[in-house]
Amino acid sequence: MEVHRKDGDIENRPVSKGGKAFDLLTYFGIAGVGTFLATIPTGAMFLKGGHWHGVAQRFENGLKNIGFSRRLAEHGANTFATFWGGTLMLIPVGLMEKNRTKIVNAFNRFFNDPTDPRSIEDAPPQTAGSIVKARAVATATVFTGFVGTEMLVGEERFKSLQHDAGQKLASVFKHETHVMKNGKLVEGLLYKFGRTGALDVLATVSSATLLYIGSHFFAKRAYERRVTRDYMEQKRAGISEPLLPTVTAEAPALLPTPTPNDKPLPQITHAQHEHALSPAPEQPQLHA
């Protein structure tokens, strides 16, 4: 962990056991497992056969209208569908980061880690801005992950992976992949969840990783700028060095107060003062 001192320098300190437990719980647990679980139902609502599929379809058509190819627009719609689970998890992640010091100290006490609590408070603080910026980077990474995976395995294989995942989940619970609803053949709930889960695995791994890296990166950059700004303002104000007291008529208390044991200073008369300031007599010059 990089801890910033007030003078702007950076001091490297090892992460405590409580800090490691905090990151594991926050970014692997909440941002990882939590995002995966939240994305399956929310993503299924936007993907084909979902209740809000029309919203994702309009988003896809909008991408096509601005020049995206058919496949890139479809991946954009997939990213839009899987975006909401991770976005919901920003709330508990933000609350965890807001209470980071208390939680890490509690973990340290549990693990008997002697790390100074002040070193935790000195760490670059996470803010809503740093987390949201990291989420934006993670979302872009999910999109590129979808595109890159399809380029690696091919379009047909990419689609079949989703179909196979949905089919296996439905078969585990002995559910049909498609059911009749209102006279129409629609995807079964578990099949839809399995198909969404195949996208969700790739989306969650990339977004949770980038959320952890990105949020700490943006927090560090913001903290460095704030420390540097404060330091430069202090230098411009002339308070980087301790100020000496100024003796003025309004501040007589700054002058030394005489005590009864102090001997009076000798008084210098005006004549003595003039004599002291008179030039020295000329010295006789020696001639060869």
Side-chain angles (χ1 to χ4, degrees):
M1 175 184 294
E2 291 184 331
V3 180
H4 298 252
R5 297 198 299 269
K6 291 183 179 180
D7 59 1
D9 292 335
I10 297 177
E11 178 184 358
N12 293 319
R13 299 181 185 175
V15 180
S16 66
K17 294 179 180 178
K20 293 177 181 178
F22 177 89
D23 288 340
L24 189 65
L25 174 62
T26 303
Y27 292 97
F28 177 79
I30 297 176
V33 177
T35 296
F36 177 78
L37 296 177
T39 299
I40 290 178
T42 57
M45 295 173 67
F46 289 98
L47 294 175
K48 184 179 178 180
H51 183 67
W52 291 339
H53 178 59
V55 178
Q57 191 65 50
R58 286 193 292 273
F59 183 82
E60 180 180 337
N61 292 335
L63 293 179
K64 291 178 182 178
N65 292 335
I66 63 175
F68 278 62
S69 66
R70 176 184 61 85
R71 291 305 301 156
L72 288 179
E74 287 184 16
H75 288 309
N78 289 337
T79 304
F80 175 83
T82 57
F83 168 81
W84 302 102
T87 302
L88 288 175
M89 290 300 104
L90 291 184
I91 298 174
V93 168
L95 291 174
M96 291 288 289
E97 285 290 355
K98 185 177 180 180
N99 297 281
R100 180 186 183 95
T101 301
K102 295 179 181 178
I103 298 173
V104 172
N105 281 331
F107 277 134
N108 282 338
R109 288 193 297 269
F110 179 79
F111 292 119
N112 294 320
D113 190 299
T115 301
D116 187 351
R118 289 175 297 180
S119 67
I120 303 168
E121 296 175 355
D122 291 339
Q126 295 285 357
T127 62
S130 66
I131 294 175
V132 170
K133 288 178 183 178
R135 179 60 182 161
V137 173
T139 302
T141 305
V142 170
F143 174 76
T144 56
F146 287 155
V147 175
T149 302
E150 183 179 286
M151 292 177 63
L152 184 64
V153 302
E155 179 179 344
E156 294 302 321
R157 180 59 177 162
F158 186 81
K159 290 181 177 180
S160 68
L161 287 173
Q162 300 174 59
H163 170 72
D164 294 343
Q167 198 172 41
K168 287 180 180 179
L169 183 62
S171 64
V172 167
F173 293 94
K174 297 179 171 54
H175 279 237
E176 297 293 334
T177 59
H178 292 73
V179 296
M180 293 297 297
K181 187 176 181 180
N182 298 328
K184 294 182 180 180
L185 188 65
V186 297
E187 296 178 349
L189 184 63
L190 290 181
Y191 172 79
K192 192 189 307 180
F193 279 4
R195 195 164 59 82
T196 306
L199 288 174
D200 193 11
V201 170
L202 179 62
T204 299
V205 171
S206 56
S207 64
T209 302
L210 265 294
L211 180 64
Y212 172 78
I213 297 174
S215 63
H216 285 74
F217 171 79
F218 289 119
K220 174 187 171 186
R221 292 293 299 274
Y223 190 79
E224 286 177 342
R225 286 194 297 267
R226 186 165 65 252
V227 168
T228 302
R229 184 184 66 244
D230 293 345
Y231 180 67
M232 294 306 297
E233 287 178 356
Q234 289 180 0
K235 288 196 67 175
R236 284 194 293 268
I239 59 176
S240 58
E241 297 293 336
L243 297 177
L244 296 176
T246 302
V247 178
T248 63
E250 293 78 9
L254 296 177
L255 296 173
T257 304
T259 62
N261 296 328
D262 290 340
K263 294 181 179 180
L265 296 175
Q267 301 294 323
I268 301 177
T269 64
H270 179 71
Q272 291 173 325
H273 179 69
E274 292 293 334
H275 177 73
L277 295 179
S278 61
E282 294 184 1
Q283 299 293 330
Q285 297 182 359
L286 298 178
H287 296 280

